Amino acid sequence: MNRATEATVQAPASVRRAPLIAAWGSRRVRRAAGRLALYLVLAAGSVVFLLPFYYMLNMAVSTPASIGKYPPDWIPRPIMLSNFPEGWVAYYNFTKYLRNTLLITSATLVGQLVSCTLVGYGFARLRFYGRGVWFVILLSTMMLPSQVTLVPQYVIFAKLKWVNTYKPLIVPAYFGSAFYIFLLRQFFMTLPRDLDDAARIDGCGYLSILLRVLLPLCKPPLIAVGVFSFVSHWSDFFGPLIYLNDPEKWTLVLGTTALVTSWGHTFIHMGYVMAVTTLVVVPVLVIYFWAQRYFIEGITLTGVRG
Amino acid sequence: MATGVPQARARLGVRRLKQAQQENAAGYLFISPWLVGFFVFTAGPMAISLGLSLLKTDLLRPSTFVGLDNFVALVDDELFWKSLRNTAYYSLFSVALGMLASLALAFVMNVRLSGIRLFRTIYYLPAVLPSAPVAILWRQIFNPERGLANYLLDLLNLPPQKWIYSERLALPCLIAMSLWGIGSSLMIYLAGLQGIPTDLYEAAQIDGAGWWPKLRRVTLPMLSPTIFFNLIMSIIGSFMVFTASYVMTQGGPNNATLTYVLYLYNSAFRYFKFGYASALAWVLFFVVLGLTALVFRSSPMWVYYESELR
């Protein structure tokens, strides 16, 4: 109703103007122009955001000669796919690094899912003395810079003789992460309590309420946590850098950065470096595309509540 | 017979008490993984860190107690001040520019357009990538010989730059790279914008408000908690910057990109001064705590919470 009155008020004013200006005055034309402008802005931004990706892929499939060329070839000729298999084995054994990385990511994934679900359920569904205080402490650990605990943690792991093993990277995951616990707790809070009560009347204990009743409903947040956990351990640089000295035990990310420091400036190997970098990045992209819905849902959940 | 009802009530009370106790125990049992982890990996290390900061120790030879010497030494440590300045500079620009850019993009993306999902994906993409490979890529982009950045300058007929090998430009290069990853705060803003109830806009419309009053009186106040959240998180994140400078420049040239955490890392794992590194960590902790406290303290002036009015 409001829009209608506005239109009738505006119409006479635009009629009096010259045709082109009159057309500009009409709502529909103005809106279309606005849309076009938005598309242009977004498209220009997309080019900026995608250009580095294209640059990486371009180098990954270029011959050393064409990487060294100036101005660069924007469509590489010839396209050299052999950079991928050759770069993979040229200097380091990346198959081994893949295996190491998969071991770490799967072990931490299991740990995070189990521990964060239990803790998230505890905070969301059980009334216990001091719950509020502990929850505030949990939230405040999210804001604690991890560097504060970095040195003493290293000292502890060094004393335990865990340096140069995967334990410092894996074991902490079994004690949960504040962010994932928070995420799961928020989701548990949205589920109706009647479910718990009904299950309790049927004789279920807390654990079977969680496992049989609530968990089947938790697919989206569990996938979000799983994806977050996988991607963050796949991508982790700092932890492996500190704890893994033996090149045999390195992860993919560590191996890639080592490639750069050993070959950094020579264009001869840039194709290899970029090919391997692409291979390390692609799984993250694939997983992200697959789980996009859950990913964004997870961010939305925490973003709004934050 | 006459005592039956009170007895039953008493029994019920006992049962309820027992149930409460059970729930108490179960609650602690469920949160115990985190609780144990908190003491072992957070609270304990913090206490140890405090102790370490009073020692001179390399984990090999026996350590000596030096009191507050580590902290006193910081005052005369040029690299400490330089890394702090670098990090503050990086933080200021990457947070400010990142907030502005992601907020502006979120406004643009909040309009109903077909194909907007594709744009969201494109802008979000770089934010999920591992930081070390990203740094490798940008190191090549900023390569003075035949890097993408100089090629673009060339297209604009501008003279080539030395980028990450220039003392003046190296830190701005890291800031530019950080802006490539604004996707996650963009998404959080977008979620915040979409959470604003449309009836507020309808009400504003009825009052005859144009776009500026709507932005000023509806959008920004409703979005302020999200802005607050993003601000805190990006300040903390920017003070932790490490991988970019480690992979791209190793802190150079002439320590122009020596970030605070890189200096902390070097102190501990390159020079094996664990006590000194702990002192550095505590200073970082208080700097970040101070900054977040400042933002928190200022928040009543500009963050609007709906629940306060009700």
Side-chain angles (χ1 to χ4, degrees), chain A residues 275-289:
Chain A
V276 174
T277 307
T278 307
L279 289 175
V280 172
V281 162
V282 160
V284 175
L285 293 183
V286 170
I287 286 190
Y288 162 67
F289 274 116

Side-chain angles (χ1 to χ4, degrees), chain B residues 14 21-22 29 36 52 79 81 149 155 172 203 267 294 299 304 307:
Chain B
V14 167
Q21 272 174 344
Q22 256 176 11
L29 207 61
V36 171
L52 276 175
L79 285 183
W81 290 110
L155 288 183
S267 302
L294 215 64
S299 69
Y304 168 81
S307 50

Side-chain angles (χ1 to χ4, degrees), chain B residues 209-227:
Chain B
W211 68 272
W212 170 248
K214 271 193 228 165
L215 177 73
R216 177 83 186 70
R217 305 267 171 217
V218 180
T219 312
L220 286 180
M222 292 301 287
L223 198 62
S224 58
T226 314
I227 298 176

Side-chain angles (χ1 to χ4, degrees), chain A residues 11 23 194 201 240 251 262:
Chain A
D194 303 349
I201 290 166
T251 60
S262 39

Side-chain angles (χ1 to χ4, degrees), chain A residues 35 39 42 45-46 49 55 68 70 127-129 134 138 144 147 152-153 238 265 267 270 288 292 299, chain B residues 23-24 28 30 33-34 41 45 112 114 119 121 123-124 140 145-146 148 151 154 165 180 240 242 285:
Chain A
R35 275 179 183 225
Y39 271 123
L42 287 173
S46 302
F49 270 72
Y55 186 63
Y70 192 88
R127 262 164 299 210
F128 52 89
Y129 183 75
W134 286 121
L138 176 101
L144 182 78
Q147 274 71 23
Q153 269 184 24
F238 208 82
H265 302 284
F267 282 92
M270 214 53 208
Y288 162 67
Q292 197 178 17
I299 286 187
Chain B
E23 194 165 345
N24 230 339
Y28 274 94
F30 273 103
W34 171 74
F41 296 116
R112 263 170 210 259
S114 49
F119 286 118
T121 308
Y123 285 84
Y124 186 48
Q140 187 54 32
E145 301 161 40
R146 306 189 187 93
L148 179 62
Y151 176 69
D154 199 21
Y165 298 97
W180 199 47
M240 299 311 122
F242 168 80
F285 176 66

Side-chain angles (χ1 to χ4, degrees), chain A residues 5 30 39 45 90 92 101 163 196 227 302:
Chain A
T5 51
R30 216 160 42 190
Y39 271 123
Y92 295 110
T101 308
V163 173
D196 303 39
V227 168
T302 46

Side-chain angles (χ1 to χ4, degrees), chain B residues 113 134 155 173 223 270 277 288 304:
Chain B
L113 285 172
V134 164
L155 288 183
C173 284
L223 198 62
R270 191 176 282 177
V288 173
Y304 168 81

